[in-house]
DNA sequence: GATGAATGAGGGTTCATTCAT
DNA sequence: TATGAATGAACCCTCATTCAT
């Protein structure tokens, strides 16, 4: 649940002892200060990118001294990596929850698609992604880890979701893995590349996203939906009409 | 039609005369030297990204002196832009030709999808795209121009292509613009983001691409195809079977 | 009254507290280091002029690192300006005091003229003036400020002095402003331009200055003196003779 | 009379032979091209100062190639020196002619003073002088030579002029050399230093110069004039009145 | 002889990192 | 331990000079 940087766990024991003994966290172990640094780093890195961000900027933004930063992070690169880890955690947090609710398939997928598209294409998240991508040539593992623990994890949940729907007889899919990617990319149709290349200066509007996602869900269900799906949906329609 | 770098056209006349007269190109006009610089710049920029690349690196890699680079390009940014223009030209050259041939719809789209996916996900092109994206925070117009004259231009051709198919009664599409993006993104389902974040260290295999594109075309035609399409295709099937 | 460099006043409070608290001056606030830099800059700028002086030279001469200089001064130009301010302060300090003493007119003017000529034509001051003049095409306000707070301020005191003498009935002057300039330039007759163009390699001797100043005072008083002046002076002569 | 650079004379013979033999001046001997270069150099050096002027600027301004300049002048410094020599010639040319005319003393001195002040304080001449002075720390002989062949030469003429007046019984002067400097500096009272330090952004007006020079001549004649002078002048006054 | 493209040392400035306090 | 002043390598870029053409 907690997103911690590598190595943080091992230290917990010695750290705790230390804190008890002297009432102060050991060097580089105060999580409050760590967060403070990362928070400052976020603002600076996201705004300026890795290279253009200066440690002085971060120092100022974080309100800690240069030396302190270097106690917590070996160098600029490591600080950046730690930030990206955190950022990833923040971005993808709660994004896939909607898939856990037992709900009408189309509705669920639509809801999810909208949340996904909205998040991914938001200015803040785009900047973060660009920063990671821009650094990926020099630090490929960073990009890989970002994807693995972010989009990939979400993708896995989507696969699970689709399998459940298949089990319920609502979908018929040969290659579920591929289908999951297809759905995601349909929800982002055109948007991702337009945004990531800054061809779109601003994030898409809610209306545009709604339109794209509705169409994406349509296509997906037309391609993979079964008759049961139609039946279930007509049920729902009836239910809805009854309500109205 | 011809992808030329800025200013290349203006030179031809005066330049040619000059060269004939004195056997040496004017300052900043020698296309060989220009290529040499761009080639060096390509290696360095692609490997390190815009910021991390140093003009000294490029100097070394290109085998020309610092001053010479500055005769050909006003500054680092302009050199980078020129490189990106070139890259874009190279990447998207000939990519959309297959759409111009009058051919069976499914077959054409499949062929096109494969070419597209193969190109876009190739290691070289991925590196270039990452470089552009990484610089897009700093130079958004550069990213925008890259997209506009690259992917966007291809997208426009795809729109034209789809409209033609609609006219022929093979497709029924409400939002052609969206549909074109959907098709492209289906052909790249999962691939683009996996590659751009360096989650995939290597470009996808031909088989994988074939699989993804076939599925993408299927979905697209299932969603937007008409009965005429089925008819036409059955015609084709018959023809193929006859051949076999 | 005190000639302080810009910002020096604001620092005193916070700075002092800071120094007491932690024993080290804040960034860019250590007056010793500042002097050290200015001292190095003086040697280099004075010897080579603004343009020909390189920050590397100054670094070497001052014995501090490049970065440190840029903590104390935003750029080369600001360092130069600070130096010139200092120089001006040093040069014109105490130069005009003699005018404040109530004394015999001729004697006072003679004393003052000698001090003035000696100072202005000294090698050090000449070098500084040449440096300012050489930079004045590039930074005219710098030259203007130098003149305004240096020679001009002295000129104003001289005007005051002359007005007092007029009040005492010792002088009769139409254009006091002009007269003040005339007096100064008579005291420097020939010297200033000879020195500033380096026609004279060395500063004039005390004897030469005495001769020039005596002649200058003579001329000035012959031109602007009243009969009261003669009377007063004869009084003084008598007094002197009585002493002898 | 002819202002030639050092060494130019020695070459005249070989040069002439060469010209006759081949119809073209030897390398670095074409006086037209030389002037052309100097003319371009003048514009650039005077405007920008020695350091800020680039050989490319001069190349452009002079309309000759870089290589050609280096045939005529060994390096930037030598070109600059040659220019200053020329400039000096131009500035002081005809400045002292008025002293050669046999005329009323006061009138002659007034005329001369006005010409002198006007020339010396003109923007163009000020720039040139600043350039020389600014370079004088690095090339003291340049400044010395400038003064010697410019202001000093004029000073010598003024000494001759004063001696003639003394001979005619119009002046009584102990130290003629000093007196000559005094007169010049009285005519420039306040102006030279105000201008050279760029305290005055613009050259003084004709009215201001007239006022200063009139006052300067007054003082000078009050200090050094004889009774014969008064007599001669009253003669003139009478003559003038008679005319009126 | 004239040209101007090419050179590369050196310009001012920045900033990741260190270490005395 | 925490600080931030100091460091100096490395940044992008300019330009006096050379030399192949």
């Amino acid at each position: 649940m907690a997103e911690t940087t590598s190595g943080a766990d091992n230290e917990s024991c010695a750290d705790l002892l230390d804190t008890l003994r002297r009432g102060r966290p050991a060097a580089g172990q105060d999580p409050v200060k760590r967060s403070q640094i990362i928070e400052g780093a976020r603002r600076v890195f996201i705004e300026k990118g890795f290279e253009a961000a200066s440690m002085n900027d971060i120092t100022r933004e974080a309100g800690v001294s240069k030396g302190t930063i270097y106690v917590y992070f070996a160098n600029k690169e490591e600080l950046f990596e730690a930030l990206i880890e955190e950022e990833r955690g923040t971005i993808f947090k709660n994004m896939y929850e909607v898939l856990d609710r037992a709900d009408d398939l189309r509705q669920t997928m639509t809801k999810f698609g909208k949340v996904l598209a909205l998040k991914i294409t938001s200015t803040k998240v785009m900047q973060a992604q660009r920063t990671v991508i821009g650094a990926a040539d020099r630090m490929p593992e960073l990009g890989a880890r970002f994807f693995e623990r972010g989009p990939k994890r979400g993708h896995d949940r989507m696969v699970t979701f689709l399998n459940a729907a298949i089990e319920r007889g609502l979908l018929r899919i040969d290659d579920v893995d591929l289908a999951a990617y297809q759905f995601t990319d349909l929800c982002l149709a055109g948007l991702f590349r337009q945004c990531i290349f800054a061809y779109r200066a601003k994030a898409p509007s809610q209306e545009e996203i709604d339109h794209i996602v509705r169409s994406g869900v349509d296509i997906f269900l037309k391609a993979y939906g079964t008759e049961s799906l139609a039946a279930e949906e007509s049920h729902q329609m009836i239910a809805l009409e009854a309500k109205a």
Side-chain angles (χ1 to χ4, degrees), chain A:
Chain A
M1 177 156 291
E3 295 288 340
T4 59
T5 54
S6 64
D9 295 332
N10 307 338
E11 296 154 10
S12 53
C13 184
D15 193 22
L16 195 62
L17 276 171
D18 216 67
T19 307
L20 287 170
R21 203 184 305 121
R22 303 193 292 107
R24 191 164 57 161
Q29 300 313 327
D30 183 347
V32 175
K33 192 146 277 182
R34 197 176 189 279
S35 295
Q36 197 181 336
I37 295 169
I38 296 237
E39 189 45 44
R42 182 195 330 282
R43 287 197 284 271
V44 179
F45 276 131
I46 297 295
E47 191 203 348
K48 304 197 171 184
F50 178 76
E51 307 277 355
S54 89
M55 292 301 266
N56 262 338
D57 294 342
I58 294 168
T59 277
R60 197 178 313 115
E61 206 69 30
V64 300
S65 78
K66 214 95 74 80
T68 302
I69 293 184
Y70 279 88
V71 168
Y72 283 78
F73 304 94
N75 50 40
K76 192 184 180 185
E77 201 157 307
E78 260 187 32
L79 171 56
F80 179 65
E81 289 179 12
L83 161 66
I84 293 302
E85 293 288 299
E86 266 239 353
E87 198 58 7
R88 180 183 45 64
T90 308
I91 294 170
F92 296 101
K93 191 156 219 168
N94 308 328
M95 196 190 272
Y96 299 94
E97 283 181 351
V98 65
L99 293 181
D100 296 335
R101 290 182 216 138
D103 214 343
D104 164 63
L105 185 66
R106 175 181 295 266
Q107 216 168 318
T108 302
M109 293 187 83
T110 304
K111 267 190 202 162
F112 170 69
K114 289 177 182 177
V115 170
L116 177 94
L118 199 66
K119 251 253 154 121
I120 298 282
T121 62
S122 73
T123 307
K124 258 195 55 174
V125 175
M126 267 300 148
Q127 284 177 334
Q129 289 183 101
R130 265 187 227 119
T131 307
V132 175
I133 291 168
D137 268 320
R138 306 181 64 210
M139 335 179 193
E141 341 72 41
L142 179 73
R145 204 160 51 244
F146 178 87
F147 186 85
E148 191 169 10
R149 304 198 185 161
K152 182 57 165 52
R153 208 166 272 184
H155 168 77
D156 293 341
R157 287 216 209 172
M158 172 56 74
V159 168
T160 307
F161 174 84
L162 292 178
N163 277 326
I166 292 166
E167 205 125 307
R168 282 162 64 199
L170 301 174
L171 298 175
R172 178 160 43 234
I173 303 176
D174 276 350
D175 185 339
V176 181
D177 191 71
L178 174 56
Y181 279 124
Q182 285 171 332
F183 178 67
T184 312
D185 285 350
L186 280 171
C187 290
L188 291 167
L191 295 180
F192 186 76
R193 287 200 294 160
Q194 283 174 44
C195 291
I196 206 75
F197 281 110
Y199 175 66
R200 274 172 188 265
K202 304 197 308 181
S205 69
Q206 183 65 56
E207 289 73 36
E208 191 170 10
I209 287 176
D210 289 353
H211 175 62
I212 292 171
V213 170
R214 197 179 312 122
S215 172
V217 173
D218 265 350
I219 291 178
F220 189 85
L221 294 183
K222 223 177 258 176
Y224 293 119
T226 58
E227 283 167 17
S228 322
L229 175 66
E232 178 178 285
E233 290 194 354
S234 58
H235 266 298
Q236 300 250 343
M237 293 298 261
I238 292 160
L240 273 163
E241 277 166 8
K243 277 192 178 179

